[in-house]
């Protein structure tokens, strides 16, 4: 295909085939995506239809598409593209070699260089121009003929008619028309030859640039491991990835790629998932954690059980989503398609009018033909056809690199127009699981004792809240005495449904003795005569924040309070603040009660809350907003979000959620980080801006170029150069999207920055007092003075060194960002000056095994 008209011609023919329900042709990726009924037609028939139109066609079934990690179909396409680029390059070299003497001949005629006058001989110029016109230019004649057969003329017809006119007029002037006395014939062989040369050059540059638009897909495909180390018969055996089946146990060593998706059954490690999620830091993995195929194992050795292989892996799904998006059309492209459909006939009419006016009105046949040729050449609609698909290809590819999977051009375009964003609470704004938020010791109890008692009492509990308390205590508490080694099994345990637990802890010989303890509600403690009135103020404050409070007591007194809630993700508040600055109206929707919903909304700064909404009614709430004329986006991660995701103008599914949510969404955010929502909207806006720029310049170029050429102000050579460069400029403008950088990293709280419950609670002190967010009181929270420093670091040699240093420094409280430049051997750190000293940063680098300067 050479222009938008080619794509439209193929698309129109395919849509008229029996059994074809949908067809989309992308001139940038040179692919047609066809949906058809196998009972009426097959892929080979579709391929033959395209070949009859004069184009080549390789039929690729879904089973053999590049989305299947087992079959390297993209490798074949890459080889074909390289072969095509090589062929065009040799055509250009041959054409330029033959055309150069003709260009010199033109200079000879202008400057009267007697020594080179033989170059102006008609026979010599004919011999040089003919191979360019009919061998190198054969593709234009062939495509022009096929376009005329189907009544859908395109760029090739304009080039063929224009260059043939110049070539034929040169033959007439050189061999059949008597030149003026003492003069030389007017020859325009250089015009026809150099126009073809410049068009071929433009196609060569365009092919190189178009190849770069699909780099994202190639990069993903290059991640595919070719073999897997499978345990069979007690031995490790290397087998092709295509032979791995679900249930196989696979061993992965440091520095190796994980071949397929699975679950770790033995060992632990840190896995670099940046190629799938866009997240730069390695993710710690241990037994029971999922791993994704094609991600990179950084440190430890582990064994995992394969769960998904071939087309079912996450990587294969990502590739399919990106390919489908790149093959789709954005609604804005409809304008370009309508113009392209009528463009060539209009240009032919303009060229004919130019010829007639110059010949009859001005009496200048030569000028009429040359100016008509200039009109034909400069008006080729290549740039118009490439304006939208190239930007979509680069935009969706760039999104995939950063963990933002956009399903279609329509989704990409609609995202930039969103007025309202509706966000599910659980698992989207919050972590989606209960965790301890506040620990309040009372009546002289030490924090470590309170955690030891609560954790030991809940150790056998099966309730999610009890498990959260036990997990937190196990991680945070220190032994209560020298004789205790940590969380212990209770001597006696009783679960009291709806109230809490009762447990006998300690030993008769221990300093705390053996005693009955309770962890549960007010009513549980009231039944056993434990006074709680002194803690009511703290209780009410915690409960007002939507937290579930568990009271910890012995048989004699209240020892303290432990509050549990579904905590807000560290990245949620800055991400939502950024969305507000972008002009997006935010609404939170949840099935939780009003009190809890409003407490979370206050914490993240959302003013509008839809609480106590049943899963089945979430889609209805979306429709109500749409009925007001608003474009509504929905962000969710669970099964109960799927209907709302489908109903919304744009559904954004967090990749950490369920498969059904991902399938329902128009955009999948692989990181599960709300910061990616802002990145997706920014990417959409930038891509649409590029499309509008491309279309503007394509239309502006033609609307200005045609009348200028018609007035005789452009030679065919200049017109050919301008036409070729217009296509290259459109593709290059689209490629500038590759500079897009996500801002999610600045929204995320680096490890160690998030406040832990220890920083929010009082130590042993006054009963009933506590500190921290959610208490209903304002605590002193002075903003540190921002500081940015660059220091030298010796000993770093590879990506592993870079990652180790960055991770060590980012884990420091007070550090907001840390970036290593390996080439410069430097570390740039952003930190709060009032909370962090440079010496501590250097110490962290030294402890990581490197030498700070």
């Amino acid at each position: 295909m050479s222009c938008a008209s080619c794509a439209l011609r193929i698309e129109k023919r395919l849509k008229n085939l029996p059994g074809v329900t949908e067809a989309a042709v992308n001139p940038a990726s040179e692919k047609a995506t066809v949906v058809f009924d196998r009972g009426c037609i097959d892929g080979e028939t579709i391929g033959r239809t395209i070949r009859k139109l004069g184009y080549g066609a390789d039929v690729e079934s879904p089973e053999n598409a590049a989305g299947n990690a087992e079959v390297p179909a993209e490798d074949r396409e890459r080889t074909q593209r390289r072969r095509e680029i090589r062929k065009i390059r040799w055509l250009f070299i041959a054409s330029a070699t033959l055309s150069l003497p003709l260009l010199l001949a033109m200079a000879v005629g202008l400057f009267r260089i007697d020594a080179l006058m033989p170059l102006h001989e008609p026979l010599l110029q004919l011999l040089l121009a003919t191979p360019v016109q009919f061998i190198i230019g054969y593709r234009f004649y062939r495509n022009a003929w096929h376009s005329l057969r189907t009544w859908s003329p395109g760029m090739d017809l304009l080039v063929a008619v224009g260059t043939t006119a110049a070539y034929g007029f040169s033959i007439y002037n050189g061999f059949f028309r008597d030149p003026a006395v003492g003069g030389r014939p007017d020859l325009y062989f250089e015009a026809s030859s150099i126009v073809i040369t410049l068009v071929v050059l433009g196609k060569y540059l365009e092919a190189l640039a178009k190849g770069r638009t699909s780099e994202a897909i190639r990069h993903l495909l290059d991640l595919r491991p070719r073999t897997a180390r499978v345990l069979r018969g007690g031995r490790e055996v290397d087998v092709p990835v295509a032979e791995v089946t679900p249930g196989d146990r696979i061993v992965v060593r440091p520095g190796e790629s994980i071949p397929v998706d699975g679950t770790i059954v033995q060992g632990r490690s840190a896995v670099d998932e940046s190629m799938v999620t866009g997240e730069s830091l390695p993710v710690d993995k241990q037994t029971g954690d999922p791993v994704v195929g094609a991600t990179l194992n950084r440190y430890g050795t582990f064994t995992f059980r394969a769960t998904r292989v071939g087309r079912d892996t996450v990587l294969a799904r990502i590739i399919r989503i990106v390919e489908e998006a790149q093959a789709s059309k954005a609604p804005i492209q409809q304008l370009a398609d309508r113009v392209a459909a009528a463009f060539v006939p209009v240009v032919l009419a303009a060229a004919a009018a130019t010829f007639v006016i110059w010949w009859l009105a001005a009496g200048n046949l030569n000028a009429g033909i040359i100016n008509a040729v200039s009109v034909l050449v400069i008006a080729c609609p290549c740039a118009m056809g490439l304006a939208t698909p190239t930007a979509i290809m680069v935009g969706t590819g760039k999104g995939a690199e950063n963990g933002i999977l956009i399903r279609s051009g329509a989704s990409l375009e609609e995202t930039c127009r969103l007025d309202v964003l509706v966000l599910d609470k659980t698992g989207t704004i919050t972590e989606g699981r209960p965790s301890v938020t506040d620990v309040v010791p009372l009546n002289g109890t030490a924090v470590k004792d309170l955690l030891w008692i609560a954790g030991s009492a809940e150790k056998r509990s099966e309730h999610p809240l009890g498990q959260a308390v036990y997990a937190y205590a196990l991680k945070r508490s220190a032994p209560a005495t020298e004789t205790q080694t940590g969380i212990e099994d209770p001597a006696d345990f009783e679960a009291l449904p709806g109230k809490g637990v009762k447990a006998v802890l300690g030993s008769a010989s221990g300093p705390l003795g053996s005693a009955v303890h309770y962890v549960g509600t007010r009513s549980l403690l009231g039944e056993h005569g434990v006074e709680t009135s002194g803690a009511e103020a703290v209780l009410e404050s915690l409960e007002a924040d939507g937290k579930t409070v568990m009271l910890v007591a012995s048989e004699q007194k209240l020892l303290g309070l432990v509050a549990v809630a579904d905590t807000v993700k560290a990245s949620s508040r800055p991400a939502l603040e950024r969305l507000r600055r972008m002009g997006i109206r935010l609404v939170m929707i949840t099935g939780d009660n009003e009190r809890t919903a409003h407490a979370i909304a206050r914490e993240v700064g959302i003013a509008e809350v839809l609480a106590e909404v049943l899963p089945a009614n979430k889609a209805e709430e979306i429709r109500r907003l749409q009925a007001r004329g608003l474009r509504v986006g929905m962000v969710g991660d669970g099964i109960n979000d799927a209907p709302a995701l489908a109903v919304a103008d744009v559904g954004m599914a967090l990749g950490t959620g369920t498969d059904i949510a991902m399938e329902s969404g128009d955009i999948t955010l692989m990181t599960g980080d709300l910061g990616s929502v802002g990145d997706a909207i920014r990417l959409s806006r930038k891509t649409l801006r590029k499309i509008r720029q491309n279309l503007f310049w394509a239309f502006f170029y033609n609307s200005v170029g045609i009348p200028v050429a018609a007035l005789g102000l452009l030679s065919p050579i200049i017109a050919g150069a301008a036409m070729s460069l217009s296509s290259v400029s459109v593709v290059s403008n689209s490629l500038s999207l590759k500079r897009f950088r996500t801002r999610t990293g600045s929204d995320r709280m680096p490890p160690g920055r998030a406040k832990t419950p220890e920083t929010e609670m009082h130590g042993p002190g006054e009963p009933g007092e506590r500190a921290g967010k959610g208490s209903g009181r304002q605590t002193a929270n002075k903003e540190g003075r921002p500081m940015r420093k660059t220091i030298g670091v010796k000993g770093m040699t590879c990506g592993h060194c870079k990652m180790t240093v960055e991770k060590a420094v980012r884990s420091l409280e007070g550090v907001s960002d840390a970036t290593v430049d390996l080439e410069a051997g430097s570390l740039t750190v952003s930190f709060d000056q009032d909370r962090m000293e440079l010496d501590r940063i250097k110490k962290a680098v030294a402890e990581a095994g490197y030498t700070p300067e």
Side-chain angles (χ1 to χ4, degrees), residues 248-267:
D248 280 345
R249 294 191 172 225
I250 301 168
V251 178
V252 182
R253 296 195 175 102
E256 295 180 342
S257 292
I258 298 169
V260 296
D261 298 356
T263 304
I264 294 178
V265 294
Q266 182 181 347

Side-chain angles (χ1 to χ4, degrees), residues 206-349:
E206 184 183 307
L208 291 175
K210 278 163 52 176
R212 292 180 58 201
T213 63
S214 58
E215 280 180 356
I217 286 287
R218 291 202 300 272
H219 174 66
L220 289 171
L221 288 162
D222 288 341
L223 297 174
R224 300 168 304 179
R226 302 295 183 182
T227 61
R229 188 177 295 107
V230 181
L231 289 173
R232 289 183 178 167
R235 295 188 307 110
E236 295 181 6
V237 181
D238 287 339
V239 301
V241 170
E243 296 181 11
V244 176
T245 59
D248 280 345
R249 294 191 172 225
I250 301 168
V251 178
V252 182
R253 296 195 175 102
E256 295 180 342
S257 292
I258 298 169
V260 296
D261 298 356
T263 304
I264 294 178
V265 294
Q266 182 181 347
R268 59 188 303 151
S269 182
V271 177
D272 180 358
E273 297 183 338
S274 59
M275 61 283 294
V276 173
T277 66
E279 176 61 64
S280 59
L281 294 177
V283 180
D284 291 332
K285 299 285 186 179
Q286 57 188 357
T287 301
D289 288 342
V291 290
V292 177
T295 56
L296 184 63
N297 179 32
R298 285 294 186 187
Y299 306 125
T301 298
F302 62 86
T303 303
F304 75 96
R305 183 180 66 256
T307 55
R308 290 177 175 173
V309 300
R311 288 176 54 81
D312 297 326
T313 62
V314 169
L315 178 65
R317 292 169 65 196
I318 289 174
I319 291 171
R320 285 200 299 274
I321 288 172
V322 176
E323 284 187 326
E324 288 168 6
Q326 293 184 343
S328 66
K329 288 189 177 184
I332 195 173
Q333 191 173 342
Q334 294 174 359
L335 173 62
D337 288 348
R338 287 196 297 269
V339 172
F343 190 75
V344 173
V346 171
V347 171
L348 289 170

Side-chain angles (χ1 to χ4, degrees), residues 51 111 151 205 220 226 280 304 428-429 445 502 549 574 621 646 674 768 818 822 834:
R51 294 183 198 106
F111 299 105
W151 294 98
L205 297 175
L220 289 171
R226 302 295 183 182
S280 59
F304 75 96
T428 302
I429 296 175
T445 308
K502 173 184 176 182
V549 184
E621 294 293 343
L674 277 180
L822 274 179
D834 294 340

Side-chain angles (χ1 to χ4, degrees), residues 701-774:
Y701 158 82
N702 281 297
S703 61
V704 172
I706 291 174
V708 169
L711 290 171
L713 301 177
L714 283 180
S715 72
I717 294 174
I718 301 299
M723 184 272 292
S724 299
L725 291 176
S726 68
S727 300
V728 177
S729 65
V730 162
V731 179
S732 299
N733 188 45
S734 297
L735 285 171
S736 67
L737 278 170
K738 285 181 170 290
R739 295 196 295 267
F740 175 83
R741 294 290 181 270
T742 64
R743 294 179 183 171
T744 306
S746 61
D747 291 341
R748 293 183 186 134
M749 191 79 75
R753 288 294 311 278
K755 290 184 178 180
T756 63
E758 291 105 313
T759 66
E760 299 176 7
M761 67 189 176
H762 263 278
E766 303 171 21
E769 293 188 3
R770 69 184 181 92
K773 61 185 179 182

Side-chain angles (χ1 to χ4, degrees), residues 659-798:
D659 289 347
I660 191 169
M662 292 174 67
E663 293 301 326
S664 302
D666 300 297
I667 296 176
T668 300
L669 308 172
M670 298 299 294
T671 62
D673 188 330
L674 277 180
S676 296
V677 177
D679 291 332
I681 294 174
R682 279 183 56 241
L683 178 60
S684 168
R685 291 176 177 179
K686 284 182 176 292
T687 304
L688 263 292
R689 192 178 303 129
K690 291 298 179 186
I691 290 174
R692 292 188 184 105
Q693 289 171 359
N694 290 345
L695 290 174
F696 169 79
W697 286 112
F699 288 130
F700 177 79
Y701 158 82
N702 281 297
S703 61
V704 172
I706 291 174
V708 169
L711 290 171
L713 301 177
L714 283 180
S715 72
I717 294 174
I718 301 299
M723 184 272 292
S724 299
L725 291 176
S726 68
S727 300
V728 177
S729 65
V730 162
V731 179
S732 299
N733 188 45
S734 297
L735 285 171
S736 67
L737 278 170
K738 285 181 170 290
R739 295 196 295 267
F740 175 83
R741 294 290 181 270
T742 64
R743 294 179 183 171
T744 306
S746 61
D747 291 341
R748 293 183 186 134
M749 191 79 75
R753 288 294 311 278
K755 290 184 178 180
T756 63
E758 291 105 313
T759 66
E760 299 176 7
M761 67 189 176
H762 263 278
E766 303 171 21
E769 293 188 3
R770 69 184 181 92
K773 61 185 179 182
S775 65
R777 305 175 187 175
Q778 293 296 323
T779 60
N781 183 26
K782 295 181 180 179
E783 291 291 333
R785 289 178 291 163
M787 177 65 72
R788 187 178 179 88
K789 287 282 188 181
T790 299
I791 62 174
V793 179
K794 291 183 177 179
M796 299 185 298
T797 58
C798 63

